[in-house]
Amino acid sequence: MTEPLHVAIVGSGPAGFYTADALLRSEEPRVEVDVIDRLPTPWGLVRLGVAPDHENIKAVSRAFEKTAARPGFRFFGNVEVGSTVSHDELAAAFDAVVYTVGAQTDRRLGIPGEDLPGSWPATAFVAWYNGHPDFQDLDFDLDTERVVVVGNGNVAIDCARMLALPAEELAPTDTTEEAAAAIASSPIREIVMLGRRGPAQAAFTPPELKELGELAGAEPVVDAADLRLDPASAAELEADRDRARRNYELLQEYAARPSEGKPRRIVLRFLVSPLALVGDGKVEAVEVVHNELVDDGGRIVARPTGETELIPAGLVLRSVGYRGVALPGVPFDETGTIPNTAGRVAGADRVYAAGWIKRGPSGVIGTNKKDAAETVECLLEDARAGALVAPAPRDLAELLDEKGADFVDYEGWQAIDAAERAAGELHGRPRVKLHRWQALLETGRRIPR
Ligand code: NAP
């Protein structure tokens, strides 16, 4: 067994940092980690996915900072596996490689009109308002009175809530100035969320649903008729002590609430699926079909009734889940994950996976801690068995320098972080994000050695 073990972790979101932390805590063998990210900044969805008005959730980054301060940790931002450096080069240079790249794209609806202007994946909208440098030139036209958000998960709720925030609620967040201005000045009156199944099957969680009832500039709207339960859903709720039941209680409360006349409404619809997005050159309406619920081998699924309806809308956000993207040279499954057993990648020695690319896009940030621990346990077991030895050990910094690759190291990220926080302080905001590649690279560039 070589000591210390050198492990490359590709992806610096929660799964990457939890993997790094678990590895750096190992005493036998001792481990050094190089965490690689395509972006110049670490933290993945904690920086670029978590909604800007959820500053308390972003606080998990303090734990990641502690991991980064451990001996044996290095960060390599602006390094893309597949272009800057190949999987084969990493696999040769390191004793083991762990992929924690998350799920980088959206699932498709597969309906006519899906690509009409005005129809966007929610993932792109989230990346835009969060300052992801690849999404800043997208032209989100919010000049509409009604937005439809397809899907009933927490990302759909995040999008609906963000669209409903007035200037005073956006001001103390790290939403980009462009997105905050566009949202606050938009004529949006109604945001309609479409759930294909019923209220008992909604994927969102009670704290997120509860927030919709506490907004300054918007109120939730639920039709009591939508809350009638079929016997199977009633039985499901009866058995549930947690998420579904609490969701249902909140929805009942919203259905009974008189309107307070707030400027924007968030309408929660159930048992409707989009059939097509329609419009002349851009989205003008969503054609939906009403569904009924049927038991399909123990799972309650939606079945179209044939009754349709047209919902006028100038913007549609498709929020039906994320999807993993294949990496050149790394095994990939049609389901959008890297095939693996407990984190050991199938058919690739010394290669591992953790987080969404390992198990699919589900769970909260903390779910990745247990997930990463399982992968690390397998990796360390293999190391102790003598199975992890790099065929051609190389120092990554040297390899990248040799390639002329301009990477951002952890000090570079700290410079970006400090600049953003200083800019935020002037405006009473947690940070003003650098959201253009040039600004990020200029601020994070290494001092020439
Ligand atoms: P998700 O929780 O899997 O929800 C996806 C939603 O899309 C479900 O309601 C699903 O309905 C619906 N859907 C799928 N295919 C559809 C179709 N063809 N037509 C209509 N609806 C369709 O995914 P997510 O919202 O992207 O969230 C990903 C993960 O991140 C989740 O675990 C979530 O909890 C987490 N997250 C957490 C927070 C937070 O804690 N605040 C914030 C954001 C995200 P069915 O149930 O019928 O399939």
Side-chain angles (χ1 to χ4, degrees):
M1 183 166 70
T2 52
E3 274 222 57
L5 197 72
H6 287 117
V7 179
I9 299 173
V10 183
S12 68
F17 266 89
Y18 286 131
T19 300
D21 197 72
L23 285 170
L24 292 170
R25 284 172 192 273
S26 165
E27 287 173 5
E28 235 186 277
R30 283 183 301 110
V31 185
E32 291 183 352
V33 301
D34 286 346
V35 176
I36 299 167
D37 205 292
R38 196 177 75 77
L39 291 176
T41 54
W43 305 347
L45 285 181
V46 168
R47 176 177 166 92
L48 299 168
V50 170
D53 62 333
H54 280 173
E55 189 58 24
N56 55 336
I57 298 182
K58 288 177 190 268
V60 69
S61 57
R62 290 197 205 112
F64 302 157
E65 284 169 353
K66 285 192 185 139
T67 302
R70 284 181 174 272
F73 176 96
R74 295 194 301 179
F75 175 69
F76 293 85
N78 192 36
V79 173
E80 184 170 34
V81 174
S83 58
T84 324
V85 63
S86 71
H87 166 71
D88 287 348
E89 285 172 313
L90 285 184
F94 286 87
D95 298 315
V97 183
V98 188
Y99 284 96
T100 56
V101 291
Q104 316 245 329
T105 190
D106 61 299
R107 286 182 51 206
R108 303 272 301 167
L109 284 172
I111 59 171
E114 186 162 8
D115 294 317
L116 273 176
S119 162
W120 295 95
T123 52
F125 183 62
V126 168
W128 173 67
Y129 65 57
N130 260 323
H132 189 307
D134 285 345
F135 292 81
Q136 297 310 304
D137 291 325
L138 300 186
D139 187 15
F140 285 99
D141 183 358
L142 305 187
D143 188 13
T144 178
E145 289 203 355
R146 187 178 294 106
V147 180
V148 164
V149 182
V150 183
N152 247 354
N154 278 334
V155 172
I157 288 221
D158 277 349
C159 290
R161 192 185 66 255
M162 282 298 294
L163 283 167
L165 296 185
E168 66 269 24
E169 281 183 322
L170 287 162
T173 73
D174 64 6
T175 314
T176 64
E177 274 168 36
E178 293 84 345
I183 291 169
S185 67
S186 136
I188 294 171
R189 309 259 320 141
E190 197 166 279
I191 301 136
V192 183
M193 278 177 59
L194 302 182
R196 66 175 166 182
R197 297 193 288 157
Q201 290 84 29
F204 47 65
T205 42
E208 281 64 33
L209 180 60
K210 187 162 180 279
E211 267 179 291
L212 297 188
E214 297 164 348
L215 299 173
E219 57 195 20
V221 176
V222 177
D223 183 349
D226 266 2
L227 301 184
R228 265 187 237 120
L229 294 175
D230 61 296
S233 297
E236 234 182 33
L237 274 194
E238 194 53 42
D240 182 279
R241 297 265 149 242
D242 197 15
R243 190 191 80 200
R245 183 189 286 241
R246 185 73 191 113
N247 274 346
Y248 191 71
E249 285 166 1
L250 284 164
L251 291 167
Q252 280 180 312
E253 193 189 316
Y254 294 163
R257 253 192 214 187
S259 168
E260 295 171 71
K262 289 184 180 171
R264 291 181 185 175
R265 295 149 47 94
I266 300 176
V267 182
L268 294 128
R269 297 277 312 262
F270 297 96
L271 293 170
V272 274
S273 287
L275 281 183
L277 306 187
V278 292
D280 187 8
K282 65 188 258 313
V283 170
E284 289 168 12
V286 183
E287 187 188 4
V288 299
V289 63
H290 290 230
N291 297 327
E292 59 189 4
L293 296 175
V294 292
D295 191 323
D296 182 23
R299 181 179 149 84
I300 297 176
V301 300
R303 184 169 66 189
T305 60
E307 183 192 345
T308 61
E309 177 189 341
L310 208 57
I311 305 175
L315 176 70
V316 173
L317 299 176
R318 309 178 318 257
S319 182
V320 296
Y322 285 73
R323 193 181 152 80
V325 174
L327 284 140
V330 183
F332 191 69
D333 203 291
E334 276 317 295
T335 58
T337 54
I338 296 177
N340 71 91
T341 307
R344 284 189 183 97
V345 173
D349 290 343
R350 301 184 296 107
V351 184
Y352 302 82
W356 278 6
I357 198 67
K358 168 185 171 188
R359 68 172 196 279
S362 67
V364 293
I365 293 166
T367 315
N368 295 299
K369 190 169 184 175
K370 204 162 158 242
D371 183 307
E374 180 190 55
T375 298
V376 167
E377 213 171 288
C378 292
L379 189 156
L380 294 175
E381 194 180 298
D382 295 346
R384 289 181 198 118
L388 303 188
V389 181
R394 290 279 330 246
D395 179 78
L396 183 59
E398 279 174 29
L399 178 66
L400 293 172
D401 278 342
E402 204 174 280
K403 286 170 170 282
D406 190 14
F407 64 88
V408 172
D409 59 15
Y410 199 73
E411 287 69 38
W413 153 243
Q414 286 175 315
I416 293 170
D417 189 35
E420 290 184 345
R421 286 182 194 277
E425 215 164 294
L426 295 175
H427 301 96
R429 302 171 60 192
R431 65 177 67 234
V432 174
K433 278 182 187 161
L434 298 176
H435 54 294
R436 294 282 177 185
W437 274 98
Q438 194 181 345
L440 285 161
L441 291 178
E442 277 173 9
T443 311
R445 187 155 283 146
R446 285 176 303 156
I447 296 147
R449 288 178 295 180

